[in-house]
């Protein structure tokens, strides 16, 4: 019985020893306490030792001496040797991923954009500080120009409005404030600024570009086309883009002229909203409408009590089409 138990115990011990490496690496020695911990304990003791007395004080002092000694002879724990392969594989993977991302997504070196962005921000800040310090028109202009170029529109607006406060007739500031208002969606005010600026300084191409954009947004095609043409005359750089814009506005002006809108603006007051008649005779169902040439004559030359109504060819065409639907 005893022999069996002993045998079993030995067998279990052997099994345990055999399995030990599989149970995960066990640190054979406890890690030496870390330097910071020792220092901390020393600090605490130093704070407390004054308040202690007798045996306790003696023990605390002894521990302090021990700690001092430990700290003096302290060696940082030697780094454990590890297999380098996981780290190498990991680094390799990260490098491959990085190169892949860089190659396929970034047209420039990683970090380059942030570096330039930071430089630009610093440069802009310096200009802003100088302008705010001196308040001189030249400095405000320099700040505004740089901010505008970097698309820091808030700052550009602040700078150019500062210029206008000092020099309300500064054309660059008038134009740029107009552009900034336009970009901010404040069309009415933008038009005011831009029209003044372009009237006074028709050579400034960028003003024409934005004035054209503004008219276009307001649906005033003819004026948009005219403004863009003046942009090209002033030697604006975005030639192709603006030529395409002009073509688009032309197409829109032709197809988009709404005959009903023309009728309501120019005829409805006398002939009724639906052509039912008023001061002028009824047009709805009027046999005269079957001959567009006659209507054209009447409209352009007037007849009897009806005054001539000058219309462009486009407007007239759209109008005749609309009259055909009455
Ligand atoms: C200021 C008022 C007024 C306006 C605006 C006006 N008309 Fe007239 N129109 C008249 C009067 C009045 C007559 C009748 C003239 C006459 O025969 O003495 C008339 C006549 C006509 C006739 C001839 C009708 C018939 O049966 O003889 C046509 C067609 C016509 N108008 C179309 C138009 C169109 C299209 C417009 C808009 C582009 C227009 N008019 C704008 C007052 C107006």
């Amino acid at each position: 019985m005893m022999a069996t138990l002993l045998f079993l115990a030995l067998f279990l011990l052997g099994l345990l020893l055999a399995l030990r490496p599989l149970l995960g690496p066990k640190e054979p020695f406890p890690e030496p306490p870390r330097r910071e911990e020792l220092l901390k304990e020393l600090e605490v003791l130093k704070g407390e030792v004054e308040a202690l007395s007798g045996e306790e004080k003696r023990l605390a002092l002894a521990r302090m001496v021990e700690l001092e000694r430990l700290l003096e002879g302290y060696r940082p724990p030697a780094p454990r040797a590890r297999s380098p392969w996981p780290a190498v594989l990991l680094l390799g993977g990260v490098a491959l991923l990085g190169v892949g991302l860089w190659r396929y997504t970034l047209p420039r070196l990683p970090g380059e954009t942030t570096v330039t962005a930071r430089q630009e921000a610093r440069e802009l800040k310096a200009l802003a500080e100088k302008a705010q310090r001196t308040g001189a028109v030249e400095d405000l202009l320099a700040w505004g120009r740089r901010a505008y170029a970097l698309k820091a529109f808030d700052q550009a607006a602040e700078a150019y409005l500062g210029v206008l406060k000092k020099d309300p007739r500064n054309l660059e500031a008038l134009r740029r404030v107009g552009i900034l208002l336009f970009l901010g969606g404040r069309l009415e005010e933008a038009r005011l600024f831009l029209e003044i600026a372009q009237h006074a300084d028709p050579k400034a191409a960028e003003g024409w570009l934005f004035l054209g954009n503004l008219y276009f947004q307001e649906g005033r095609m003819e004026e948009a086309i005219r403004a863009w043409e003046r942009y090209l005359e002033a030697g604006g750089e975005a030639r192709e883009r603006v030529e395409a814009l002009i073509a688009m506005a032309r197409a829109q002006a032709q197809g988009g002229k709404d005959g009903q809108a023309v009728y309501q603006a120019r005829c409805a007051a006398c002939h009724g909203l639906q052509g039912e008649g008023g001061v002028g005779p009824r047009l709805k169902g009027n046999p005269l409408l079957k001959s567009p040439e006659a209507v054209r004559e009447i409209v352009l030359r007037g007849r009897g009590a009806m005054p001539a109504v000058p219309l462009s060819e486009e407007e007239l065409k759209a109008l005749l089409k609309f009259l055909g639907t009455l």
Side-chain angles (χ1 to χ4, degrees):
M1 183 62 189
M2 276 297 283
T4 330
L5 273 180
L6 194 66
F7 175 75
L8 203 66
L10 277 175
F11 174 74
L12 281 175
L13 191 68
L15 195 68
L16 199 70
L17 284 174
L19 284 177
R20 222 185 111 120
L22 296 180
L23 294 175
K26 284 260 157 53
E27 197 51 50
F29 307 106
E31 246 184 65
R34 296 177 37 222
R35 186 178 162 81
E36 300 89 84
E37 285 162 12
L38 298 178
L39 274 171
K40 208 168 145 203
E41 195 187 344
L42 191 60
E43 278 307 300
V44 173
L45 281 174
K46 270 184 185 159
E48 284 175 350
V49 76
E50 289 304 317
L52 300 173
S53 60
E55 181 66 3
E56 277 185 332
K57 186 166 185 164
R58 205 186 58 76
L59 280 174
L61 284 171
R63 175 66 181 153
M64 278 167 71
V65 170
E66 191 186 1
L67 284 172
E68 299 272 20
R69 225 178 263 142
L70 274 173
L71 281 168
E72 214 157 85
Y74 180 84
R75 296 275 173 282
R80 266 188 273 160
R82 286 232 179 87
S83 161
W85 288 111
V88 168
L89 282 177
L90 191 72
L91 277 176
V94 169
L96 266 179
L97 196 72
V99 168
L101 279 177
W102 170 51
R103 179 74 184 72
Y104 291 107
T105 62
L106 291 173
R108 50 183 101 72
L109 286 173
E112 205 173 270
T113 355
T114 35
V115 169
T116 31
R118 235 182 276 144
Q119 261 170 9
E120 286 165 356
R122 222 178 298 137
E123 186 195 340
L124 193 58
K125 200 167 159 230
L127 285 172
E129 278 166 5
K130 183 164 183 219
Q132 280 156 352
R133 197 174 55 242
T134 67
V137 168
E138 265 318 302
D139 292 334
L140 285 164
L141 279 175
W143 175 28
R145 280 178 199 142
R146 197 75 192 112
Y148 184 86
L150 294 175
K151 298 198 176 15
F153 293 135
D154 285 354
Q155 287 195 51
E158 198 183 333
Y160 280 120
L161 285 171
V163 172
L164 288 183
K165 253 189 228 151
K166 304 251 145 134
D167 174 11
R169 279 127 81 88
N170 185 296
L171 293 177
E172 178 185 338
L174 277 172
R175 185 175 66 242
R176 285 277 164 96
V177 167
I179 292 172
L180 291 164
L181 284 166
F182 169 74
L183 293 174
R186 290 158 68 174
L187 301 192
E188 286 287 314
E189 294 151 282
R191 173 146 41 75
L192 213 73
F193 277 83
L194 280 172
E195 280 175 351
I196 293 171
Q198 291 316 105
H199 183 75
D201 181 12
K203 285 206 174 65
E206 83 178 354
W208 289 120
L209 177 62
F210 282 94
L211 198 54
N213 293 351
L214 192 150
Y215 289 142
F216 185 78
Q217 267 198 24
E218 291 181 333
R220 295 155 69 173
M221 296 304 151
E222 313 277 342
E223 281 160 289
I225 291 168
R226 186 76 204 106
W228 283 331
E229 280 170 353
R230 298 202 67 171
Y231 171 83
L232 295 178
E233 283 162 24
E237 280 170 22
R239 266 203 110 68
E240 274 179 35
R241 190 159 65 88
V242 170
E243 275 164 1
L245 282 174
I246 291 175
M248 182 179 73
R250 286 229 168 89
Q252 204 137 320
Q254 247 147 43
K257 269 260 154 47
D258 190 338
Q260 184 171 18
V262 176
Y263 178 83
Q264 279 170 2
R266 316 298 292 272
C267 325
C270 297
H271 290 281
L273 256 184
Q274 315 292 328
E276 69 274 13
V279 180
R282 180 186 175 91
L283 294 182
K284 205 179 179 123
N286 193 318
L288 228 160
L289 297 186
K290 294 219 165 65
S291 101
E293 276 314 304
V295 177
R296 175 189 283 264
E297 275 291 306
I298 294 170
V299 170
L300 291 181
R301 293 173 189 276
R303 185 216 258 187
M306 174 173 156
V309 182
L311 292 175
S312 75
E313 188 53 35
E314 285 159 17
E315 287 170 318
L316 197 58
K317 270 197 188 131
L319 174 69
L320 289 175
K321 221 164 133 193
F322 170 72
L323 289 177
T325 69
L326 275 179

